[in-house]
Amino acid sequence: MDTMFQPSLSDCQLKEILRDHNLTVSQPRIALLRYIMQNYHHPKAETVFHDLRPDNPTLSLTTVYNTLRLFAENGLCSMLTIDDKHVYYDGDTKPHGHFMCVGCGRIFDIPGSIMPNASKLHENGMDGFQVHEMHYYLKGTCNECNENI
Amino acid sequence: MDTMFQPSLSDCQLKEILRDHNLTVSQPRIALLRYIMQNYHHPKAETVFHDLRPDNPTLSLTTVYNTLRLFAENGLCSMLTIDDKHVYYDGDTKPHGHFMCVGCGRIFDIPGSIMPNASKLHENGMDGFQVHEMHYYLKGTCNECNENI
DNA sequence: GTGCTTGCAAATCGTTTGCAATAGC
DNA sequence: GCTATTGCAAACGATTTGCAAGCAC
């Protein structure tokens, strides 16, 4: 549970990442990319907006929604549809598992989680299927919520 | 991919299942339970309503939503939050994987899919976590959609 | 200067809720 | 008869869209 904060990135590095992904550079995009690459706590759009707004007074919630979607489409983050209330964003695009606590709502990375082997598809009559994304989610109650019962 | 239709169930059997789960019996509940236990093609609420309405002219979409949620809460079906547009319902409550095709939108069961072992949690610093549900989803393109490119 | 991005306001749409009428037991 | 369920209409809330103004290059 110590992977929530990543090393800080300079504006220069962030601009380069945006350009590498054929995205125009802008102030909101730099701020959003920095946030999503440095905060691995699976925020929803509203949370990102809430956290960035103080330092970016003209930022709108619309831009947060549209830009995070754009980032996801371009492989800069992934969208977690772990429950039906919100979409959560994850700057860690490597396949890994998640645990959502139904008590406190927090989402934890499952450390060292092994994703099932997609090649098994072809051993099971699913030839011709192409995998783009893998998601592995658990739901339950976390250690802290279990203590507070 | 041959698990979509299950053996038919009598009204009597369905009533018994409802009572076993401490749910009051009613005509809409019988119809909905029959549908969800005989149609393993992961319908969304709208689809269930569309299919049942002709034979149940007074059935409302509200009842479909509320009853499917009730069933899920009582272990009679599970809710798949595989994308952010709709919730899909699955009458097969055994843990198994799903593949959603981003082309045609269909959801396939992954036959023989092995769910990751939840006991690994405790080998990875997540002691005290209790697992209620496991979900394993893939997204990509299915064989038919790949042929039509 | 041209085109892409932003942000406001309004629309969208899946889902839930309030409540009076009705069905179950 | 009393309680639980249904279904309509309205509300809700997260997300998307239209469009005029502003920024990137």
Side-chain angles (χ1 to χ4, degrees):
Chain A
M1 245 71 68
D2 51 359
T3 57
M4 281 173 50
F5 299 103
Q6 300 304 117
S8 62
L9 293 159
S10 69
D11 278 24
C12 199
Q13 291 173 298
L14 293 163
K15 288 179 186 177
E16 201 171 316
I17 294 171
L18 287 168
R19 291 202 189 94
D20 284 349
H21 288 259
N22 293 312
L23 296 176
T24 307
V25 171
S26 74
Q27 282 310 311
R29 289 187 180 174
I30 292 171
L32 282 160
L33 186 60
R34 170 175 289 120
Y35 186 93
I36 207 67
M37 299 195 90
Q38 293 185 182
N39 292 279
Y40 277 8
H41 49 64
H42 322 99
K44 48 189 175 179
E46 183 69 45
T47 305
V48 177
F49 176 68
H50 173 266
D51 290 350
L52 286 178
R53 180 76 188 210
D55 289 336
N56 302 266
T58 70
L59 183 68
S60 73
L61 185 53
T62 300
T63 298
V64 174
Y65 274 112
N66 291 340
T67 305
L68 290 177
R69 172 168 294 276
L70 181 73
F71 285 175
E73 289 167 355
N74 286 273
L76 288 169
C77 68
S78 60
M79 299 169 68
L80 310 182
T81 54
I82 193 169
D83 83 335
D84 55 328
K85 299 300 175 199
H86 307 270
V87 174
Y88 301 89
Y89 295 89
D90 192 347
D92 182 1
T93 56
K94 297 186 298 296
H96 62 283
H98 294 102
F99 182 102
M100 172 175 250
C101 176
V102 297
C104 59
R106 281 184 296 174
I107 297 173
F108 302 86
D109 286 331
I110 302 180
S113 64
I114 295 157
M115 297 296 276
N117 188 346
S119 74
K120 279 189 195 287
L121 280 186
H122 308 134
E123 303 164 10
N124 280 293
M126 294 183 79
D127 295 294
F129 284 62
Q130 293 196 349
V131 177
H132 299 170
E133 297 175 31
M134 303 179 56
H135 298 278
Y136 170 46
Y137 301 140
L138 303 182
K139 291 190 192 183
T141 45
C142 74
N143 52 353
E144 290 180 27
C145 285
N146 286 330
E147 282 169 12
N148 296 336
I149 290 174
Chain B
M1 242 72 65
D2 52 358
T3 56
M4 280 172 51
F5 299 103
Q6 300 305 118
S8 62
L9 293 158
S10 69
D11 277 23
C12 198
Q13 291 173 298
L14 293 164
K15 287 180 188 178
E16 201 172 318
I17 294 171
L18 287 168
R19 291 202 191 93
D20 283 349
H21 288 260
N22 294 312
L23 297 177
T24 307
V25 172
S26 74
Q27 282 311 311
R29 289 187 181 175
I30 292 171
L32 281 160
L33 186 60
R34 170 174 289 120
Y35 185 94
I36 206 67
M37 300 196 88
Q38 293 185 182
N39 293 278
Y40 276 9
H41 49 62
H42 319 99
K44 48 189 175 179
E46 183 69 47
T47 306
V48 177
F49 176 67
H50 174 267
D51 291 350
L52 287 179
R53 179 76 189 212
D55 289 335
N56 303 267
T58 70
L59 183 68
S60 73
L61 185 54
T62 299
T63 299
V64 174
Y65 274 112
N66 291 340
T67 306
L68 290 177
R69 172 168 294 276
L70 181 74
F71 285 176
E73 288 167 357
N74 285 275
L76 288 169
C77 67
S78 60
M79 298 169 68
L80 310 182
T81 53
I82 192 168
D83 82 336
D84 55 328
K85 300 301 176 198
H86 307 270
V87 174
Y88 301 89
Y89 294 89
D90 193 346
D92 181 1
T93 55
K94 297 185 298 298
H96 61 285
H98 294 102
F99 182 102
M100 171 175 251
C101 176
V102 297
C104 58
R106 282 184 295 175
I107 297 173
F108 303 86
D109 285 332
I110 301 180
S113 66
I114 296 156
M115 297 296 277
N117 188 345
S119 73
K120 278 188 196 286
L121 280 187
H122 308 135
E123 302 165 10
N124 280 291
M126 294 182 79
D127 295 293
F129 284 63
Q130 293 196 349
V131 177
H132 299 171
E133 298 175 32
M134 303 181 54
H135 299 278
Y136 171 47
Y137 300 142
L138 304 183
K139 291 190 191 182
T141 46
C142 73
N143 52 353
E144 291 180 27
C145 285
N146 286 330
E147 282 170 12
N148 295 334
I149 288 171

